[in-house]
């Protein structure tokens, strides 16, 4: 069975959640599936050897990605006679003829940058979602699955990029400080503003010895960060890390003191799971998904019921205070680290990966059969 995968993230955000999830999917495949990986650029040398790459030179602007999603991917699926397409962002083509599956790991479209091409991209993708063959969702997060897609939902064991289970990995040449706070989440403006506002409350107390490091921005995220960070005077207490290869992401997590996530999370390859697997203390914004993933193994800060600038300021202060508390109180941090390891113990089993691959193949066969 031939399955086409959208490799946009592997080129433009290789250390982001969508990229890690795509690599997890490819690692889970058996010999029954021939993966066709569409890439908007030259294939990186670190790709797994079990994929057939289809490379095209494509620009990185929103209009280029729109054409990639709505025209190039459907054309490649037809040309290569793929049984179905599998996406990691909610951008199915409106006029695709074959079956399309989605396991959401990329930032929702409604949170992307504004502009005509973004609005057109969102509109076409929403139309494509109405024709989606199936939504793949972690079985331990069923409670948070979208109800409007319940009839087309398939459930799989939770997945984590295999590199997070390796005892040692190649350390990236990033000159990491001995102690630091790590953020590896969305770079859409709302999430970044919350991150920067929360850090403005914490930086004075801990920023000198525990700087904030940001990973996985990609080109677009880096531009958004630079525009927003210009309004703050954080100095050396905040650092945007350059892209690293997917295999090196876990090494950055292992080196951090606390993982900080004042942003929404997505179901697949969300960084909260990764941080818990590595036994890291987590401070995060509370949400249904965050609560289901972390349980009592993280310091979750609620956003309250109020709205407006005042409520956002209160949330930022609460997040900053929580981060300071976990950093300076060794007993609390060590307790969270122990709880993280206990919480993630069930995710470490090798047979779960085997089950993930087997059930993924079943879903592929079901979706392809329904479309034929």
């Amino acid at each position: 069975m031939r399955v086409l995968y959208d490799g946009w993230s592997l080129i433009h955000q290789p250390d982001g959640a969508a990229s890690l999830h795509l690599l997890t999917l490819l690692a889970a495949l058996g010999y029954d599936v021939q993966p066709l990986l569409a890439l908007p650029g030259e294939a990186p040398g670190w790709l797994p050897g079990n994929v057939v790459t289809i490379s095209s030179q494509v620009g990185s602007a929103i209009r280029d990605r729109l054409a990639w999603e709505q025209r190039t991917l459907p054309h490649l699926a037809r040309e290569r006679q793929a049984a179905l397409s599998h996406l990691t962002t909610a951008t199915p083509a409106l006029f695709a003829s074959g079956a399309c599956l989605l396991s959401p790991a990329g930032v929702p479209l409604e949170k992307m940058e504004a502009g005509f091409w973004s609005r057109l991209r969102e509109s076409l993708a929403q139309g494509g979602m109405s024709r989606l063959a199936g939504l793949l969702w972690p079985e331990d997060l069923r409670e948070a699955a979208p109800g409007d897609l319940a009839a087309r939902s398939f459930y799989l064991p939770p997945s984590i990029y295999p590199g997070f289970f390796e005892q040692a990995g190649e350390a990236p040449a990033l000159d990491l400080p001995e102690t630091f706070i790590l953020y590896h989440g969305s770079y859409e403006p709302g999430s970044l503003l919350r991150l920067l506002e929360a850090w403005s409350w914490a930086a004075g107390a801990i920023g000198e010895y525990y700087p904030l490091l940001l990973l996985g921005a990609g080109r677009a995220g880096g531009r958004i960060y630079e525009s927003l960070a210009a309004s703050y005077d954080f100095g050396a207490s905040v650092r945007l890390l350059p892209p690293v290869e997917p295999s090196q992401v876990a090494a950055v997590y292992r080196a951090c003191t606390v993982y900080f996530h004042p942003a929404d999370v997505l179901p697949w390859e969300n960084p909260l799971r990764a941080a818990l697997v590595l036994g890291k203390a987590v401070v995060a914004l509370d949400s249904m998904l965050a609560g289901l993933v972390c349980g009592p193994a993280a310091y979750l800060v609620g956003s309250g019921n109020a709205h407006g600038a005042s409520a956002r300021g209160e949330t930022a202060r609460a997040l900053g205070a929580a981060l300071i508390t976990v950093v300076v109180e060794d007993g609390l941090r060590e307790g969270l680290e122990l709880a993280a390891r206990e919480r993630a113990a069930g995710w470490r089993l090798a047979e779960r990966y085997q089950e993930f691959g087997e059930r993924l193949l079943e879903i592929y066969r079901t979706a392809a059969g329904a479309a034929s």
Side-chain angles (χ1 to χ4, degrees), residues 61-276:
I62 290 291
R63 63 180 179 273
D64 298 316
R65 188 167 188 181
L66 171 64
W68 171 262
E69 293 163 345
Q70 295 293 327
R71 186 170 61 233
T72 304
L73 292 177
H75 169 74
L76 290 176
R78 291 191 301 269
E79 181 184 62
R80 300 301 179 105
Q81 298 180 328
L84 55 89
S85 300
H86 190 158
L87 307 180
T88 57
T89 55
T91 54
L94 178 59
F95 298 112
S97 57
C100 182
L101 295 173
L102 167 66
S103 47
V107 178
L109 278 178
E110 64 270 18
K111 297 189 176 183
M112 300 293 285
E113 58 189 277
F116 169 77
W117 293 108
S118 291
R119 292 194 299 271
L120 179 58
R121 181 176 176 235
E122 180 180 356
S123 177
L124 292 174
Q126 287 179 346
M129 287 291 290
S130 67
R131 304 176 59 183
L132 195 69
L135 175 74
L136 277 61
W137 200 265
E139 61 186 2
D140 62 341
L141 305 182
R142 281 177 181 256
E143 185 179 340
D148 58 332
L149 292 174
R152 290 178 283 163
S153 294
F154 300 95
Y155 296 96
L156 287 163
S159 77
I160 303 169
Y161 176 59
F164 286 103
F165 294 106
E166 298 172 359
Q167 294 302 311
E170 182 182 357
L174 296 176
D175 189 25
L176 298 175
E178 184 176 348
T179 55
F180 64 91
I181 312 300
L182 177 63
Y183 174 76
H184 184 216
S186 169
Y187 284 81
E188 56 87 16
S191 294
L192 279 181
L193 276 175
R194 190 185 297 116
L195 173 70
L196 296 174
E197 290 174 2
W199 186 245
S200 70
W201 289 96
I206 61 176
E208 181 178 359
Y209 297 105
Y210 296 89
L212 173 66
L213 272 55
L214 284 65
L215 178 66
R219 298 172 186 172
R223 289 193 297 268
I224 297 172
Y225 165 78
E226 295 293 349
S227 66
L228 295 177
S231 302
Y232 298 85
D233 184 21
F234 290 136
S237 75
V238 179
R239 178 178 161 195
L240 184 67
L241 295 174
V244 302
E245 294 184 6
S247 63
Q248 299 175 333
V249 171
V252 181
Y253 273 71
R254 288 191 185 92
C256 79
T257 306
V258 173
Y259 181 77
F260 187 40
H261 197 86
D264 295 332
V265 295
L266 288 167
W268 294 107
E269 259 58 44
N270 76 65
L272 300 182
R273 286 197 197 273
L276 295 178

Side-chain angles (χ1 to χ4, degrees), residues 270-362:
N270 76 65
L272 300 182
R273 286 197 197 273
L276 295 178
V277 160
L278 295 178
K280 294 299 177 179
V282 171
V283 177
L285 182 71
D286 196 7
S287 66
M288 178 177 285
L289 279 175
L292 290 173
V293 170
C294 299
Y299 195 134
L300 299 180
V301 177
S303 58
N305 297 320
H307 300 283
S310 176
R312 290 195 300 271
E314 292 176 5
T315 301
R317 285 194 295 271
L319 285 164
L323 186 58
I324 293 171
T325 301
V326 173
V327 167
V328 302
E329 293 189 10
D330 293 342
L332 174 59
R333 186 173 67 255
E334 291 168 0
L336 287 173
E337 291 169 348
L338 176 60
R341 289 190 289 270
E342 292 175 347
R343 180 75 173 177
W347 304 336
R348 295 174 179 270
L349 301 177
E351 53 265 31
R352 295 290 278 174
Y353 268 107
Q354 180 179 351
E355 181 186 358
F356 182 92
E358 292 172 349
R359 288 167 63 176
L360 181 62
L361 177 59
E362 292 176 4

